Amino acid sequence: MSKIKTLVVEDEYLAQQLLVRWLSEIQEIELLGCESDVTGAVTAIEKIQPDLIFLDINLSGDNAFQIIHQTPKHLRPDIVFVTAYTEYAVKAFRVNAVDYLKKPFDRSHLLEAVERVIERRSRKQPDSKQEVHEHITIKDGTNMTFVGMDEILWVESAGDYLVIHTAEQHYVHRSSMKKFLQSLSQSFARIHRSTIVNLERIKHIQPRGHGDADVVMCNNTELRLSRRYREAIKAFKVS
């Protein structure tokens, strides 16, 4: 894998220099430069087309999500948010952020974020055998129903079958959890040995204590988040 072309977007000088120093020590990273405001960041992304940006959310009073909205989709890099704020975590995940580092963080947290970027990029390689579909075909006798992947809220296992839940209804589909997850985009993640969720349809995470939590979906359905799978939605910072 080639080096990851990286841009730092941070308006606090000390935080910016710390990121630069730590990222410069990582062999897989090719640091292309730094920006400190929305306009400069959008211009730099269009010019140098980085693979990855480390992005502060509050940029001199401007919201960094403007950068994402102003960048053409085909040029949008992977994003690791770096911020002192926790309230943007769900929104960050909805724009498919790789990680959400809350200040202050240490070098080990940064390395973990880079490792997740490398893992994500490896799954995007052209020689990957994983086939991602835009819809799933549900067979019922001689009838077939096409369900768009973006319609799916969550999926639960039921023996040799899966129950696929949308906002309107549910469908029974014969497949294993592992095989089905391989056909899904990165907008889906396993939160329990018997549950897959659409990350873009999560409303919020409700801590239950002792490391347990519930994932609350957009229709207010509560699903148990197993501690074993907390890493899959780490950007929500469930403690």
Side-chain angles (χ1 to χ4, degrees):
M1 181 183 296
S2 58
K3 288 195 174 186
I4 303 170
K5 298 186 295 182
T6 303
L7 177 70
V8 171
V9 182
E10 169 65 73
D11 65 342
E12 296 179 13
Y13 178 77
L14 292 179
Q16 182 188 99
Q17 292 306 301
L18 186 62
L19 279 169
V20 168
R21 178 159 61 87
W22 283 346
L23 289 170
S24 298
E25 296 171 353
I26 301 175
Q27 183 178 0
E28 292 85 357
I29 295 292
E30 179 185 354
L31 190 59
L32 300 180
C34 302
E35 296 294 337
S36 58
D37 57 51
V38 170
T39 301
V42 172
T43 301
I45 290 171
E46 292 180 349
K47 182 179 179 180
I48 64 180
Q49 299 185 19
D51 303 310
L52 169 67
I53 58 173
F54 282 81
L55 181 59
D56 188 11
I57 287 181
N58 189 348
L59 297 170
S60 302
D62 289 329
N63 191 302
F65 286 97
Q66 296 176 45
I67 297 171
I68 301 169
H69 299 321
Q70 293 179 34
T71 301
K73 287 186 177 181
H74 71 282
L75 293 180
R76 290 179 187 176
D78 286 329
I79 302 170
V80 173
F81 282 100
V82 182
T83 179
Y85 302 91
T86 59
E87 60 265 34
Y88 295 102
V90 171
K91 189 174 181 180
F93 219 171
R94 285 176 177 165
V95 297
N96 209 20
V98 181
D99 208 344
Y100 192 94
L101 298 179
K102 186 177 181 301
K103 299 176 181 177
F105 58 90
D106 58 29
R107 189 173 180 275
S108 65
H109 294 143
L110 182 70
L111 290 173
E112 289 175 3
V114 172
E115 288 174 359
R116 275 188 281 278
V117 172
I118 293 171
E119 181 182 355
R120 174 181 287 193
R121 285 173 57 79
S122 69
R123 295 200 299 266
K124 293 180 180 178
Q125 295 304 304
D127 60 351
S128 173
K129 296 181 180 180
Q130 177 174 319
E131 183 179 1
V132 176
H133 304 284
E134 294 183 357
H135 66 265
I136 180 114
T137 304
I138 308 294
K139 295 181 180 180
D140 181 12
T142 58
N143 297 321
M144 291 190 298
T145 302
F146 297 97
V147 180
M149 290 300 183
D150 58 349
E151 297 179 54
I152 299 173
L153 301 187
W154 82 95
V155 181
E156 60 182 328
S157 65
D160 295 330
Y161 294 83
L162 300 177
V163 181
I164 300 171
H165 297 267
T166 68
E168 303 297 330
Q169 56 187 308
H170 63 266
Y171 305 89
V172 178
H173 178 62
R174 187 177 180 89
S175 178
S176 67
M177 292 287 281
K178 182 178 180 180
K179 181 179 179 180
F180 189 69
L181 186 58
Q182 289 175 345
S183 70
L184 298 173
S185 71
Q186 294 176 7
S187 297
F188 291 82
R190 200 166 185 170
I191 63 166
H192 189 275
R193 62 182 178 84
S194 61
T195 312
I196 296 171
V197 298
N198 185 339
L199 300 173
E200 296 181 354
R201 298 302 187 94
I202 293 176
K203 185 176 182 180
H204 65 267
I205 305 296
Q206 182 64 49
R208 296 173 57 90
H210 305 291
D212 292 326
D214 287 331
V215 174
V216 182
M217 305 304 294
C218 59
N219 65 349
N220 293 319
T221 298
E222 297 183 3
L223 304 170
R224 177 61 58 88
L225 170 61
S226 169
R227 277 177 283 182
R228 177 181 176 186
Y229 294 101
R230 281 189 303 174
E231 188 70 20
I233 57 172
K234 190 172 181 179
F236 287 102
K237 294 299 179 185
V238 179
S239 59

